[in-house]
Amino acid sequence: MYSRDLQEVPASLIQGSKPVLGTFNGPVKSLDIRGLRAPFGGVPLPSFVTNFRIKSTLSFSFNTGDYFCSIIFYDGKAFGLAEIDLWNNSTGRKYVYKSLMGPRRRFIPHNLEQGFCASFNSRRYIRISWDHARDRFSVIFNIKGDSVRPSIQAALTGHLNDSRTAEITQCIPIISKRRCAASYFATPVMKGTLSITPSKKGETISENVENASSIFFINRAYHSYIQKSQLIYGTGMVDGKHVSFIIENSPEQIPDPEVCNRNLLIVDGQCTPLPPVKMTQPFGLDEKWIIQDYDNMVDLTWQPVAMHTRNFNLFINKIRMDILFGKFEGVLKTKDGADINIDGLAGVGREQMMRV
């Protein structure tokens, strides 16, 4: 059976102008990959040029049982984009809200010990913050609706030192070992409130969120001028356990995906690194996906229920993102050989193309 060791967290992900590659059990102090020597084709470009090629994404999703919510921040250096998507788990009905943010020094922070990421738009206020010293992870958003979409508000908190919370840092090579991508994952169990106020006359739906599964991750990478990616992730309760996973379609740009990849399964705080996985859509992007590996640890199907496409163009920058909500069926295997039987677990798929 496939296995990948969880290593001790290094002091820094860049040492001697080279990346420290691996999967690490815990958070690094700073998710910073600046300082690589000649990361693009071995050409010694100035650091301000190579640093500008580093792009970041932050995502947080939680599952209350009735609703699945996904928050995405994208840091494009010259601009930022925040989006929040809310799906009804029973009907698949979706509500999508976005906010474009103007230039500022840094949208997504490097510091993993304490920090926050926020959109301060008066109609799209979203704030995600973390503080290891206070053992606190919090999410607050206040989204105003319109004639079609409801207004939604939430205030959620979780504990980073909870035994059900796993924290994993990864650093993998991109194209070659001169260039890298760094990721941080956490699975805090959330509690708080979620309120949905209809756009027309109607009663506000208020839900006390208790014991909600979640998955939080930050990715920072040296991107090529055109970058394509495809990933899925899900979170929720399975047989009384908190189950979260993230799977990336085995990208050709990773030199040795057997040794380094971003695929993870986390069950009640216990992390299982997963092997390279191939995702196929034989009937189209919005029809059933087949998700399998060669080591019999991943055998899933995923049926999209709702989909929306986000296109963004600014000068030479272009982002196209297809975001799908759906349900998983199948089996995942932990590193101990235990089968996790997935039956209708909610999750999100993202296929994106970026020219930056």
Side-chain angles (χ1 to χ4, degrees):
M1 188 170 68
Y2 175 86
S3 65
R4 190 165 82 245
D5 293 335
L6 296 177
Q7 306 170 33
E8 292 187 5
V9 181
S12 172
L13 294 178
I14 305 299
Q15 297 180 10
S17 299
K18 295 181 179 180
V20 181
L21 304 175
T23 302
F24 309 107
N25 188 19
V28 70
K29 290 183 178 180
S30 178
L31 197 71
D32 190 357
I33 56 175
R34 293 173 298 178
L36 289 184
R37 182 185 295 114
F40 293 95
V43 180
L45 297 172
S47 59
F48 76 89
V49 175
T50 57
N51 289 344
F52 191 78
R53 302 302 303 163
I54 300 174
K55 309 300 180 184
S56 306
T57 304
L58 179 149
S59 178
F60 175 75
S61 298
F62 65 93
N63 189 348
T64 70
D66 294 328
Y67 294 95
F68 190 99
C69 184
S70 177
I71 302 170
I72 302 170
F73 283 89
Y74 172 72
D75 183 351
K77 300 290 187 180
F79 66 93
L81 183 67
E83 180 168 308
I84 181 167
D85 305 329
L86 181 71
W87 289 277
N88 185 304
N89 281 339
S90 299
T91 65
R93 185 171 184 180
K94 69 178 183 296
Y95 302 103
V96 179
Y97 311 82
K98 71 171 182 177
S99 176
L100 181 65
M101 299 177 289
R104 65 180 191 232
R105 183 172 181 270
R106 185 169 295 118
F107 298 100
I108 299 174
H110 291 138
N111 190 346
L112 293 183
E113 294 185 329
Q114 180 183 17
F116 75 92
C117 185
S119 167
F120 296 105
N121 186 304
S122 60
R123 296 183 59 84
R124 304 281 189 270
Y125 178 78
I126 309 168
R127 180 185 171 97
I128 299 175
S129 61
W130 55 92
D131 189 336
H132 279 84
R134 297 175 58 194
D135 183 26
R136 182 179 176 85
F137 183 90
S138 68
V139 177
I140 298 173
F141 57 80
N142 186 0
I143 310 297
K144 295 182 180 179
D146 50 30
S147 60
V148 178
R149 297 169 296 181
S151 298
I152 57 174
Q153 300 85 33
L156 306 171
T157 60
H159 296 286
L160 293 169
N161 291 338
D162 192 318
S163 62
R164 298 168 297 178
T165 301
E167 293 185 272
I168 304 295
T169 305
Q170 297 196 87
C171 188
I172 65 172
I174 297 292
I175 306 297
S176 73
K177 291 186 178 180
R178 289 193 302 267
R179 203 187 313 173
C180 68
S183 302
Y184 164 75
F185 300 89
T187 57
V189 178
M190 308 300 290
K191 64 178 181 179
T193 59
L194 172 67
S195 299
I196 303 172
T197 303
S199 54
K200 299 180 180 179
K201 291 184 178 180
E203 295 184 358
T204 298
I205 301 171
S206 296
E207 183 173 358
N208 290 322
V209 178
E210 295 287 345
N211 208 34
S213 301
S214 75
I215 181 168
F216 171 67
F217 59 92
I218 303 174
N219 183 62
R220 182 168 278 119
Y222 283 89
H223 283 315
S224 302
Y225 287 104
I226 297 179
Q227 185 262 341
K228 297 180 180 180
S229 63
Q230 191 178 71
L231 63 84
I232 57 170
Y233 50 92
T235 186
M237 298 293 293
V238 177
D239 296 331
K241 299 178 180 179
H242 292 276
V243 174
S244 300
F245 59 87
I246 181 167
I247 298 173
E248 186 175 26
N249 208 4
S250 297
E252 296 179 356
Q253 65 263 30
I254 297 180
D256 191 354
E258 289 283 344
V259 177
C260 290
N261 67 68
R262 277 192 282 259
N263 301 338
L264 295 173
L265 166 65
I266 299 170
V267 180
D268 275 349
Q270 300 300 309
C271 177
T272 297
L274 296 174
V277 171
K278 192 65 177 177
M279 298 188 288
T280 58
Q281 304 89 35
F283 311 107
L285 186 65
D286 58 348
E287 295 294 336
K288 182 178 289 187
W289 294 27
I290 298 173
I291 307 154
Q292 294 177 323
D293 71 321
Y294 294 106
D295 297 272
N296 296 320
M297 293 184 71
V298 180
D299 186 7
L300 296 175
T301 61
W302 186 58
Q303 179 62 61
V305 176
M307 171 181 173
H308 75 275
T309 299
R310 178 71 65 218
N311 281 300
F312 176 79
N313 293 277
L314 180 64
F315 303 112
I316 64 170
N317 297 297
K318 176 180 174 63
I319 300 174
R320 176 186 169 89
M321 185 182 298
D322 295 307
I323 302 176
L324 303 94
F325 170 76
K327 300 295 182 69
F328 291 97
E329 304 282 346
V331 178
L332 293 169
K333 191 181 291 291
T334 69
K335 60 185 177 183
D336 299 322
D339 288 340
I340 306 298
N341 295 301
I342 306 296
D343 183 13
L345 184 70
V348 170
R350 296 206 325 243
E351 181 175 84
Q352 62 188 30
M353 188 283 292
M354 293 189 293
R355 185 183 66 219
V356 291

